[in-house]
Amino acid sequence: MDVIQWQRQHRDHQASMFREGFLDDQFIQLQKLQDETSPDFVIEVITMFFEDSENLINNMKRALEQTPVDFRQVDAHVHQYKGSSASVGAARVKNVCATFRNFCDAQNLEGCVRCLQQLQHEYSLLKSNLQHLFGLQEQIQAAGGSIPTIE
């Protein structure tokens, strides 16, 4: 494949992530902060988000397994995850967090467990989609091309 095909794949994949609601405009704002002085800025921020996500999801899981469940503690983890997902433009993850917080407020364990499962699923889909996008970026850059941007 050549650079133009990879750039087209990159543009199409990123557009589909917006269309399917994985990402919102905050992701574009993040991309705008990247420049020649910090060419890996987005990848670095998203990598930190992935690490935080794993930790927060594990913390939520452990908190929901406690007896009795401390719903305030669960909610604190969910609130933190909602904020970090919003800051990188992870729209579907952020939306599940909003629903999850409602179940925490209602102290509905079954609803919380379902939301945690949905959160794990959405996070997994987001991570694989972003890893694919970053893989395309690496191929484009290795071939001397520039990364297409969405305005």
Side-chain angles (χ1 to χ4, degrees), residues 2-3 5 8 16 18 25-26 47 50 54 59 73 84 88 90-91 98 106 110 118 120 127 129 136 145 151:
D2 66 0
V3 174
Q5 288 174 308
R8 185 178 306 115
S16 78
F18 280 93
D25 289 344
Q26 185 59 36
T47 299
F50 289 161
E54 309 277 339
N59 289 343
Q73 182 187 29
S84 65
V88 298
E110 193 177 301
Q118 188 179 0
Q120 289 170 311
K127 185 175 181 180
N129 272 287
L136 289 169
E151 292 299 321

Side-chain angles (χ1 to χ4, degrees), residues 9-144:
Q9 273 189 356
H10 181 278
R11 205 173 13 259
D12 291 348
H13 185 67
Q14 185 164 302
S16 78
M17 289 184 72
F18 280 93
R19 204 174 37 255
E20 294 173 27
F22 285 107
L23 299 174
D24 63 23
D25 289 344
Q26 185 59 36
F27 187 78
I28 294 171
Q29 297 306 314
L30 200 62
Q31 289 177 318
K32 288 180 180 177
L33 296 174
Q34 183 166 293
D35 58 21
E36 300 82 35
T37 62
S38 57
D40 296 326
F41 178 75
V42 174
I43 289 176
E44 289 169 4
V45 170
I46 296 297
T47 299
M48 286 189 296
F49 170 73
F50 289 161
E51 291 166 5
D52 288 346
S53 295
E54 309 277 339
N55 289 331
L56 287 168
I57 288 172
N58 286 332
N59 289 343
M60 289 175 218
K61 186 174 189 275
R62 276 195 298 278
L64 287 171
E65 290 169 348
Q66 299 299 311
T67 306
V69 172
D70 181 348
F71 287 98
R72 282 201 321 254
Q73 182 187 29
V74 176
D75 185 58
H77 296 308
V78 177
H79 179 69
Q80 185 179 351
Y81 195 31
K82 183 180 176 202
S84 65
S85 58
S87 71
V88 298
R92 283 172 39 172
V93 170
K94 178 188 73 178
N95 294 340
V96 174
C97 287
T99 303
F100 200 155
R101 292 196 72 201
N102 292 334
F103 284 115
C104 288
D105 286 345
Q107 298 192 359
N108 180 329
L109 180 58
E110 193 177 301
C112 286
V113 169
R114 275 197 320 270
C115 279
L116 178 60
Q117 291 167 341
Q118 188 179 0
L119 203 52
Q120 289 170 311
H121 178 71
E122 287 298 336
Y123 166 67
S124 176
L125 291 173
L126 175 69
K127 185 175 181 180
S128 71
N129 272 287
L130 284 171
Q131 286 174 328
H132 179 67
L133 190 73
F134 295 150
L136 289 169
Q137 284 180 202
E138 285 176 19
Q139 290 174 306
I140 292 166
Q141 289 170 324

